[in-house]
Amino acid sequence: MQTFILITIVVIATIHLMMATVLSLYSRYKVQYLSLAWIMGIFGAMCCIAIPFVPLLRFDRIGLLHPFMLLALVVTSFLQGIYPLSIPMPGYLQWWRMWKYASPAILLIILYVVSLLLGSRPAIIRSYAELADCWWGIDMLFRLAGFGLSIYYVVNMLRLPHLLTKGAEIPRYLKGYTTVMGLNLVFYVVVTAVFNVTLLMVYFYLFCVLNMYLFYRTLETMAIHLPKPEIVKVDEAPTEVVIVEAEREDFNEANRRRFERVEYFMQHGCEWQDNTFGRDRLCEATGINRHLLLQCLRSQGFNNCHDYVNSYRISALKRGVADGTISTVNDCVVVGFGSAKTARTCFERMEGEKLDEFLKRRGGR
């Protein structure tokens, strides 16, 4: 079991340090990633510090409500709580505000370390019957303080992101992340109260998967807002012979030629103005199978067929706003969106701006 735990901690440390490194790089260009980079880095460092102590673990000496597990719970719940709390702050780099929020946890850790240095040792409690015998000891007071403080941070994780959306916009996935992570910490509280090694491993893996999900969604949000290729007019579609010839000589050139065929159809057919138009109809019209279609679109900077088709619709929407033919959100269905809601969602995701605000700024209602 110790070997399995050691492998688990090494894997978690590696993943979190990798995520911290990538986020640190991106934070040089967008400061909003700095907070998450620090948090992922701290988790990775905590795992690295724990690695040498794993061979010394004796599970029979952990017991119920062990102070080390409670202190780890305090630190973890605080770190996971400050990232979503930092999003709506006008200047989340207000370290004094973060320091004030962390001060109870820091004070508790300092006092406990001092007590250990003065010779205090945590009592091993194997049942709740034993718990009653040492209820008022100084060691138990530290445990209760850590337990209560953790609950306070967990409640904030579950409560505050939803309240803060009233004054600032927080992505839906981030609210979901904080809720699920809060529930995962509740699970850790249960593991601490009734110690079980298997349940502890389940918590570690859930913790890692949730942080990987947040990392993925963070990078996905950034990737969506990367500059998209400009639409270049194609006057003649390449023939199949030209594409086959290009594929023999240069794989990338073949993708470019296929993309030109797709562009020719999109520019001259305008079937994308039908809201039922999608990948299958595009494949059928161009004679390119799904795999090669996705391949040629990605070679030109598009994530998938859905985003590619919507880029034409958004371009047409902007032209319509500029010439006055589109003035309200409901008018956007003429460019191929199935509903006003779909137009709003797609425009905000791909342009990083609310459609209503864009129409208002450009003179719409």
Side-chain angles (χ1 to χ4, degrees):
M1 179 58 75
Q2 284 179 320
T3 303
F4 180 69
I5 293 176
L6 179 61
I7 294 173
T8 297
I9 293 178
V10 169
V11 169
I12 292 175
T14 303
I15 290 173
H16 280 80
L17 290 176
M18 179 274 295
M19 292 189 294
T21 302
V22 174
L23 290 167
S24 297
L25 174 63
Y26 288 125
S27 69
R28 296 175 60 187
Y29 303 96
K30 206 165 188 180
V31 74
Q32 73 181 67
Y33 300 117
L34 183 60
S35 174
L36 188 56
W38 269 103
I39 292 169
M40 294 297 187
I42 291 172
F43 284 143
M46 288 170 61
C47 290
C48 290
I49 292 172
I51 289 173
F53 297 97
V54 172
L56 305 177
L57 279 178
R58 293 183 58 186
F59 299 115
D60 59 335
R61 297 190 59 80
I62 294 180
L64 310 179
L65 295 172
H66 195 281
F68 291 163
M69 290 190 65
L70 285 170
L71 291 178
L73 175 62
V74 170
V75 174
T76 303
S77 58
F78 168 74
L79 289 173
Q80 290 175 330
I82 62 173
Y83 176 64
L85 292 178
S86 74
I87 298 299
M89 291 183 184
Y92 75 81
L93 297 177
Q94 299 173 6
W95 294 107
W96 174 248
R97 194 171 184 177
M98 289 290 97
W99 182 266
K100 185 178 179 180
Y101 187 57
S103 56
I106 295 173
L107 179 62
L108 179 66
I109 293 172
I110 291 174
L111 289 176
Y112 191 77
V113 170
V114 170
S115 71
L116 290 177
L117 294 176
L118 293 177
S120 174
R121 290 294 178 268
I124 307 303
I125 303 173
R126 294 183 175 83
S127 69
Y128 284 97
E130 297 178 14
L131 189 63
D133 298 333
C134 55
W135 186 255
W136 294 108
I138 190 71
D139 178 56
M140 187 53 58
L141 290 178
F142 275 121
R143 298 186 196 209
L144 291 176
F147 192 79
L149 189 57
S150 300
I151 296 298
Y152 166 70
Y153 286 139
V154 171
V155 168
N156 277 346
M157 283 189 67
L158 295 170
R159 181 178 65 92
L160 291 181
H162 299 277
L163 294 178
L164 289 169
T165 55
K166 297 177 180 178
E169 290 194 16
I170 296 179
R172 223 177 340 181
Y173 75 83
L174 186 57
K175 288 193 293 181
Y177 163 82
T178 54
T179 300
V180 176
M181 189 59 83
L183 294 174
N184 195 40
L185 284 172
V186 172
F187 176 66
Y188 183 86
V189 171
V190 174
V191 176
T192 305
V194 185
F195 180 73
N196 182 283
V197 179
T198 303
L199 292 179
L200 183 61
M201 292 296 99
V202 171
Y203 165 76
F204 281 151
Y205 281 109
L206 287 174
F207 168 81
C208 189
V209 168
L210 286 170
N211 280 336
M212 288 173 65
Y213 167 78
L214 180 61
F215 174 74
Y216 168 78
R217 289 305 303 264
T218 301
L219 294 190
E220 181 188 43
T221 302
M222 183 194 67
I224 286 172
H225 295 111
L226 289 173
K228 296 294 186 297
E230 295 290 335
I231 296 176
V232 178
K233 187 171 178 58
V234 178
D235 296 321
E236 184 178 354
T239 63
E240 189 63 30
V241 175
V242 171
I243 294 174
V244 171
E245 188 66 29
E247 194 164 25
R248 289 174 182 167
E249 298 178 2
D250 188 343
F251 177 78
N252 293 322
E253 178 65 14
N255 275 328
R256 189 180 71 82
R257 290 293 189 173
R258 289 192 187 97
F259 183 70
E260 285 182 354
R261 175 182 286 190
V262 175
E263 286 278 80
Y264 180 84
F265 171 78
M266 293 291 287
Q267 292 172 16
H268 294 82
C270 295
E271 289 189 32
W272 45 268
Q273 293 179 354
D274 177 0
N275 63 67
T276 63
F277 180 81
R279 180 191 59 189
D280 292 339
R281 284 174 59 181
L282 184 57
C283 288
E284 183 181 354
T286 58
I288 302 174
N289 65 44
R290 295 180 181 182
H291 172 70
L292 291 177
L293 176 65
L294 182 61
Q295 185 175 277
C296 77
L297 293 179
R298 286 183 171 173
S299 72
Q300 302 303 312
F302 293 96
N303 184 46
N304 52 45
C305 184
H306 184 70
D307 285 352
Y308 172 68
V309 172
N310 281 334
S311 69
Y312 267 84
R313 290 169 178 160
I314 288 176
S315 180
L317 187 156
K318 290 179 177 179
R319 291 195 303 271
V321 172
D323 62 27
T325 57
I326 294 178
S327 58
T328 67
V329 176
N330 290 329
D331 294 338
C332 296
V333 296
V334 301
V335 298
F337 291 112
S339 65
K341 181 180 178 181
T342 303
R344 283 191 176 99
T345 302
C346 182
F347 190 88
E348 183 175 358
R349 187 174 69 88
M350 298 184 70
E351 296 295 313
E353 180 181 7
K354 287 192 172 183
L355 179 55
D356 297 85
E357 294 176 357
F358 174 77
L359 293 171
K360 184 177 179 180
R361 180 166 56 83
R362 297 298 296 268
R365 296 187 297 275

